[in-house]
Amino acid sequence: MNWYQKSYRDVLEELGVKPEQGLTPQQVKDRLATFGPNVLARSKKETVLDIFVRQFKSPLIYILILATSIVIFLGQTTDAVVILAVIILNSVIGTIQEGRARNSLERLKSLTRHKALVRRDGEENLISAEELIPGDILILREGDRIGADARIVKAEAFKVDEAILTGEAESIIKTSDVITQEDLVVGDQKNMVFAGTSVVSGF
């Protein structure tokens, strides 16, 4: 059974949390150890050598290497050296440019890390979205970016912009009611919110 098919009371019971209390410090510690941080799995980071080698994986480079082989076979060593120098220079420039682009992207990611307001141990706490764990009671308000997928417990005139996921231009009205249909797409799961979307209005 999907989360949206369960009542919020069943969800709270399954996750072992009370909405007015939130998770206890011990639960937070245990769940962080079990589930880890709330981040997408990252692919293995490429080294400079990996990026440099990839510059040679191009049809144009293959043609130039073939031309170099032919030139060497014809005994024109000087021309072969010039062609090889061009290939290596091109690869070095490509590696530098790609490296800079990757560094800029990483800096941009660090700037876009956001916070989440949660209720823990009876108090509201502002934490990094990366620290969110299953069972956290999210407190969402207009303008907030949603840090994790969650089942709605309470909603008042609550609308969410899900264009990033569904492409829909209009904001979606959310509810805490159970939905019985099976295999619904994200856009039809009206009692769920999803990471990366934003609160338009209500709470």
Side-chain angles (χ1 to χ4, degrees):
M1 183 180 287
N2 294 301
W3 290 107
Y4 68 83
Q5 292 177 286
K6 301 178 181 181
S7 72
Y8 70 81
R9 292 183 180 86
D10 289 341
V11 171
L12 291 169
E13 185 178 348
E14 189 170 334
L15 293 173
V17 61
K18 296 179 180 179
E20 67 279 0
Q21 178 71 20
L23 296 173
T24 66
Q26 188 59 49
Q27 285 177 311
V28 171
K29 182 179 178 181
D30 292 343
R31 294 185 191 193
L32 273 174
T34 301
F35 298 105
N38 176 40
V39 293
L40 294 173
R42 295 179 180 175
S43 56
K44 181 183 176 184
K45 191 171 183 180
E46 288 185 311
T47 64
V48 173
L49 181 60
D50 293 329
I51 297 173
F52 179 74
V53 169
R54 193 172 59 252
Q55 305 304 313
F56 291 91
K57 297 177 181 178
S58 160
L60 179 59
I61 298 297
Y62 297 152
I63 292 169
L64 288 173
I65 291 173
L66 178 61
T68 303
S69 302
I70 293 171
V71 168
I72 290 174
F73 179 75
L74 295 175
Q76 299 176 356
T77 310
T78 304
D79 290 341
V81 169
V82 170
I83 295 172
L84 282 173
V86 169
I87 292 172
I88 293 171
L89 181 61
N90 176 73
S91 298
V92 169
I93 292 171
T95 301
I96 293 171
Q97 289 178 331
E98 189 171 336
R100 285 178 177 171
R102 284 175 178 271
N103 289 337
S104 297
L105 183 60
E106 287 300 319
R107 284 196 295 272
L108 182 60
K109 284 181 179 178
S110 68
L111 288 173
T112 56
R113 289 191 183 118
H114 59 286
K115 300 289 186 179
L117 186 63
V118 298
R119 183 173 292 119
R120 288 181 175 176
D121 205 27
E123 296 181 355
E124 293 185 4
N125 294 286
L126 192 63
I127 64 171
S128 166
E130 294 181 0
E131 297 174 40
L132 288 170
I133 51 177
D136 261 327
I137 301 297
L138 286 169
I139 301 169
L140 300 170
R141 298 186 177 118
E142 184 176 335
D144 287 350
R145 183 175 163 200
I146 298 168
D149 298 352
R151 173 67 165 84
I152 296 173
V153 172
K154 182 180 179 182
E156 296 287 343
F158 190 49
K159 291 185 179 181
V160 176
D161 178 1
E162 294 184 342
I164 192 172
L165 298 179
T166 65
E168 292 288 335
E170 293 186 7
S171 56
I172 307 298
I173 299 173
K174 294 291 185 174
T175 177
S176 61
D177 297 338
V178 175
I179 300 173
T180 57
Q181 293 97 317
E182 296 183 0
D183 303 320
L184 291 182
V185 296
V186 167
D188 292 331
Q189 296 178 26
K190 309 292 187 186
N191 57 11
M192 297 284 296
V193 292
F194 301 95
T197 60
S198 302
V199 179
V200 175
S201 63
F203 59 90

